[in-house]
Amino acid sequence: MTVTSPRPQPGVLKIAPYKQGQSTIDGIANPIKLSSNESPLGPSPKAIAAYDDAVKRLFRYPDGSQTDLREAIADVFGLDPARIICGNGSDEVIQLVIRAYVGVGDEVILSQYAFAMCRVHALAQGAEVITAPEPDCRVNVDEILARVTPKTRLIAFASPNNPCGTYLAKADLKRLHEALPPHVILLVDAAYADYVVKPDYSDGLGLAAKSSNIIVTHTFSKLYGLSALRIGWGYAAPEMIELMNRIRTPFNTNDPALAAAAAAVRDQDYAAMVRAHNNDWLARMTTELEALDLDVVPSVANFLLIQFPSEEKSAERAWEFLLSRGIIPRPVNAGGPDNCLRVTIGLAHENEAFLAAMRDFMK
């Protein structure tokens, strides 16, 4: 009798395991972690209080309809709560829409620096993934449209993108959406949108409010500082939300996460403080790094992509030097432009330590 192993779905075999960013350095107790785009200021005190209160209810199932959080998001941003779905991070919302609409033989177009999990979920569904290049580290509408075929089922991109930190202008987003056939879903991953103050930027919520084929995803892991709770949301037409809810597990979002996120989104004064801290340091660090003859991609997110000039002053050598100083950046050669490091905006003393180390490295 022949013994065989269980056979996986073919698409799963095309997926490389996710490699988590480094968070420790041997021999250093408390390194400066600038590798995961987390908010160094943490969550709002009101979110922490809501989380602490929710601990008293751990024996109860969470609200499967996610009513309080959906209404909080709707109140703050002027949205329709019926068009909102919450997930275990925006990652789950992305997974739900791909599961609901993408199948074997379909094509999914991803802009070059789309969220890596978009590729994972599409391949797991048996779809073919087509990559649209991002010249100059920017989402390019023409590159995407050139790859649309009758098999195209979904298009996804991040704005701002990661690891570059650049964005698609509002006019270009509108042009892309208007050029798509109505059966093609446009997925805008707006995880870093909360940091953006540019007047020509749009995360797409306005388009999603009046369209049936666009979904915008947001997260509480970045500006709101709730990474550990894994909570995010999406905004789309009611019929799309209804289909996603059919395959969503009944209690996919836990009660402490729902409570903390609702309090966090209502505390827009704290959110504004976090945004101001980030954007002030974003500008300062860009200026100081450029003064060291380093190329810095113009970012509107909470990180910088630094391009190094030579083999002698390479990203790999800079990474090793920074680790020796107790600082953890993120190498991006496997998922971004060559010879680059991505560095998260940290606390003031962390940013100062990073800049001092870079000055020493570039001497």
Side-chain angles (χ1 to χ4, degrees):
M1 179 178 178
T2 302
V3 178
T4 59
S5 300
R7 186 170 58 186
Q9 290 293 318
V12 176
L13 298 176
K14 300 177 182 179
I15 300 170
Y18 178 78
K19 186 175 181 180
Q20 189 170 320
Q22 185 173 341
S23 59
T24 61
I25 302 175
D26 291 342
I28 298 179
N30 297 298
I32 296 173
K33 186 186 177 191
L34 304 178
S35 58
S36 297
N37 297 346
E38 297 151 330
S39 172
L41 297 170
S44 156
K46 294 179 180 178
I48 295 173
Y51 177 89
D52 288 342
D53 185 62
V55 171
K56 304 169 188 175
R57 305 189 295 271
L58 292 184
F59 66 102
R60 299 292 188 193
Y61 284 108
D63 174 18
S65 63
Q66 310 163 333
T67 302
D68 288 347
L69 179 53
R70 290 190 298 107
E71 290 183 350
I73 294 167
D75 288 347
V76 170
F77 297 114
L79 303 175
D80 178 0
R83 288 175 171 258
I84 298 173
I85 186 171
C86 302
N88 184 28
S90 57
D91 180 1
E92 188 191 21
V93 179
I94 291 169
Q95 181 188 41
L96 288 171
V97 71
I98 291 175
R99 282 182 60 202
Y101 287 96
V102 175
V104 176
D106 290 334
E107 290 180 354
V108 170
I109 300 174
L110 303 182
S111 194
Q112 185 174 359
Y113 301 123
F115 181 37
M117 294 307 295
C118 294
R119 179 178 300 274
V120 169
H121 299 318
L123 290 174
Q125 290 297 108
E128 181 181 356
V129 174
I130 312 296
T131 301
E134 294 189 15
D136 302 320
C137 293
R138 294 181 181 276
V139 175
N140 187 284
V141 171
D142 294 323
E143 293 284 3
I144 293 173
L145 292 176
R147 286 159 176 80
V148 175
T149 76
K151 291 184 177 182
T152 303
R153 189 67 168 161
L154 181 142
I155 294 168
F157 66 91
S159 178
N161 57 3
N162 176 17
C164 303
T166 59
Y167 65 96
L168 184 67
K170 180 178 182 179
D172 289 326
L173 174 59
K174 185 173 183 289
R175 179 166 73 91
L176 172 60
H177 181 246
E178 289 178 346
L180 294 179
H183 68 276
V184 175
I185 294 171
L186 183 61
L187 192 165
V188 182
D189 172 13
Y192 298 97
D194 297 300
Y195 294 102
V196 187
V197 294
K198 298 289 186 180
D200 64 338
Y201 172 76
S202 169
D203 60 2
L205 287 174
L207 287 175
K210 54 188 179 183
S211 304
S212 61
N213 67 332
I214 181 170
I215 180 167
V216 179
T217 60
H218 277 258
T219 184
F220 287 95
S221 294
K222 304 304 177 186
L223 181 129
Y224 293 101
L226 298 177
S227 300
L229 295 185
R230 308 305 304 125
I231 187 78
W233 58 282
Y235 194 69
E239 54 268 30
M240 190 181 295
I241 298 298
E242 193 272 333
L243 281 174
M244 294 165 67
N245 276 323
R246 291 189 189 191
I247 57 175
R248 177 177 66 87
T249 55
F251 306 110
N252 64 321
T253 47
N254 67 78
D255 187 61
L258 289 168
V265 76
R266 289 190 184 281
D267 192 355
Q268 285 298 303
D269 288 341
Y270 187 85
M273 182 272 293
V274 175
R275 184 182 302 110
H277 168 88
N278 180 82
N279 292 348
D280 287 347
W281 274 103
L282 194 73
R284 176 177 170 180
M285 291 176 71
T286 298
T287 298
E288 296 207 20
L289 291 168
E290 289 178 338
L292 297 174
D293 293 326
L294 291 164
D295 289 330
V296 181
V297 177
S299 173
V300 294
N302 68 334
F303 56 84
L304 291 170
L305 185 67
I306 306 164
Q307 298 178 307
F308 288 80
S310 65
E311 184 176 338
E312 180 185 0
K313 298 295 183 183
S314 67
E316 183 176 1
R317 291 189 177 186
W319 176 69
E320 293 170 349
F321 185 85
L322 289 166
L323 291 181
S324 74
R325 291 287 191 93
I327 301 168
I328 307 174
R330 182 69 182 259
V332 296
N333 285 2
D338 291 336
N339 206 23
C340 290
L341 291 180
R342 190 194 69 195
V343 179
T344 307
I345 304 300
L347 296 171
H349 75 275
E350 295 173 330
N351 299 331
E352 293 283 12
F354 168 74
L355 290 171
M358 288 303 299
R359 285 192 287 268
D360 289 344
F361 174 73
M362 291 300 292
K363 284 180 181 177

